[in-house]
Amino acid sequence: HPHLNANNLQERPIESPDRFQPRRIWLLSTPMSTVTLGPARMGDAPAIAHLSRDLIEADLPWSWTPRRVASLMRQRESAAVIARDQNRLAGFILAQYGDESAHIALLGVANEYRRQGIGRRMVQWVEETAMVAGLFLVRLEVRAIKREARHFYARLGYRETDRVNGYYSGLE
């Protein structure tokens, strides 16, 4: 079992399918709602930042502020995808695309929308975009104390490649 006081760096090689069909909008229907996945707009940055603070950084200094989220969204080699249930933000993913790999910077799904496939679909969006760009490796960091997140990524095929102490605000 991984040591819980370290932070795990995860990665997953992705394989190019024979025929790739890019998707721009997904609808996920559940008995209670219809969630739409699509590109985030700059006006979504504050809601993304606040949900990130609540889900990921609740016990850390707030680093993914609205300004930082907006800054990443403005970068040419980035993607920001949101899951929306009518006017409510259900989840988000922020990713960056480099020369050799893609990097998932942030992923969050509101508690009441978990285990509905939303996180998996957003990760697929990032992976498919990476493949179109000719990138076949996706990297991310996950807090060691976030066991559910680590299991989520493991179920998607990600594996731990390294551990970094003090990665998150120098605290863990």
Side-chain angles (χ1 to χ4, degrees), residues 45 49 57 62-75 94 105-106 167:
E57 297 183 297
W62 193 18
S63 68
W64 282 98
T65 61
R67 175 178 275 183
R68 184 175 179 196
V69 169
S71 176
L72 185 140
M73 290 172 68
R74 279 191 212 94
Q75 293 176 14
L94 302 178
L106 271 183
Y167 183 82

Side-chain angles (χ1 to χ4, degrees), residues 4-172:
L4 292 183
N5 290 331
N7 290 292
N8 303 321
L9 301 179
Q10 309 263 331
E11 67 179 27
R12 175 175 176 250
I14 50 179
E15 297 178 16
S16 178
D18 291 335
R19 296 182 59 95
F20 173 71
Q21 298 289 329
R23 296 182 188 118
R24 289 294 154 210
I25 303 291
W26 277 321
L27 294 176
L28 304 170
S29 293
T30 66
M32 301 298 287
S33 64
T34 299
V35 176
T36 306
L37 268 61
R41 296 188 176 123
M42 201 54 67
D44 296 317
I48 291 169
H50 284 90
L51 188 56
S52 172
R53 182 192 60 201
D54 295 344
L55 296 175
I56 302 164
E57 297 183 297
D59 55 345
L60 294 171
W62 193 18
S63 68
W64 282 98
T65 61
R67 175 178 275 183
R68 184 175 179 196
V69 169
S71 176
L72 185 140
M73 290 172 68
R74 279 191 212 94
Q75 293 176 14
R76 190 165 170 245
E77 304 295 326
S78 70
V81 175
I82 58 169
R84 186 180 303 282
D85 182 4
Q86 296 180 22
N87 291 326
R88 182 148 192 246
L89 181 65
F92 62 86
I93 190 166
L94 302 178
Q96 299 164 296
Y97 300 93
D99 293 335
E100 297 178 11
S101 65
H103 175 247
I104 295 174
L106 271 183
L107 168 66
V109 176
N111 292 331
E112 59 271 29
Y113 292 97
R114 290 192 179 167
R115 301 212 177 274
Q116 296 179 28
I118 295 169
R120 179 177 47 80
R121 295 283 187 176
M122 290 189 296
V123 169
Q124 285 176 334
W125 184 305
V126 168
E127 291 174 347
E128 290 175 1
T129 303
M131 287 188 287
V132 169
L135 302 173
F136 300 97
L137 182 66
V138 177
R139 298 176 186 268
L140 59 95
E141 301 81 32
V142 62
R143 292 179 66 188
I145 65 168
K146 299 286 188 176
R147 291 188 66 177
E148 186 177 344
R150 290 178 25 228
H151 290 289
F152 166 78
Y153 288 117
R155 284 191 308 274
L156 295 181
Y158 287 79
R159 64 180 176 80
E160 180 181 335
T161 59
D162 201 2
R163 297 178 190 185
V164 180
N165 290 315
Y167 183 82
Y168 288 93
S169 300
L171 299 176
E172 62 176 77

